[in-house]
Amino acid sequence: RNVRNIVLHELCSVDHAARNEVEGFESLKLSDRSKSKRLLQLFQKDLLPGITGQILTSKNARDGSIQKQMVSKRWKYFGYIIMFTVNAGMLFYVFLFAIQQNRHRQIAWIQSFFIWWL
């Protein structure tokens, strides 16, 4: 008898939440992308057990209130150039280290490098 009440209460709360979501979809006139994003969030929440799903819900609520700032293409390209330069510099440093090793270690290094590269 007690299990029946618990299940009935859970079904009622799920029905209420589903109706709220449908009303939100209809009243807010969301774009297809926003609808897809919201459906994915709800699907992920359903797959996560207990408190983990509630944490995801809390995170999504916080993320929704944050205003995202657009970055100009100039700064974006500048960041790409900086990242490429840093990566190339580190790769060059590793190369300088490798050429100071004996032949067997160089071969081992280049093989491991190609495995890492793939």
Side-chain angles (χ1 to χ4, degrees), residues 28-41:
L28 295 176
K29 305 293 185 208
L30 298 172
S31 68
D32 287 341
R33 182 177 170 97
S34 296
K35 287 179 184 178
S36 297
K37 188 176 179 181
R38 181 64 184 154
L39 286 173
L40 180 62
Q41 289 173 350

Side-chain angles (χ1 to χ4, degrees), residues 75-89:
W75 285 108
K76 196 179 290 188
Y77 292 142
F78 180 71
Y80 291 149
I81 290 169
I82 293 294
M83 291 304 297
F84 177 78
T85 304
V86 168
N87 284 331

Side-chain angles (χ1 to χ4, degrees), residues 90-102 105-106 109:
M90 289 183 184
L91 192 58
F92 182 69
Y93 178 77
V94 169
F95 173 74
L96 289 178
F97 170 78
I99 62 173
Q100 293 178 356
Q101 303 299 316
N102 64 32
R105 285 189 180 180
Q106 285 181 351
W109 181 85

Side-chain angles (χ1 to χ4, degrees), residues 4-25:
R4 180 181 174 273
N5 290 338
I6 293 171
V7 171
L8 185 62
H9 175 64
E10 187 66 28
L11 287 174
C12 289
S13 67
V14 167
D15 182 58
H16 179 70
R19 289 179 193 272
N20 286 342
E21 287 296 330
V22 169
E23 288 174 10
F25 275 106

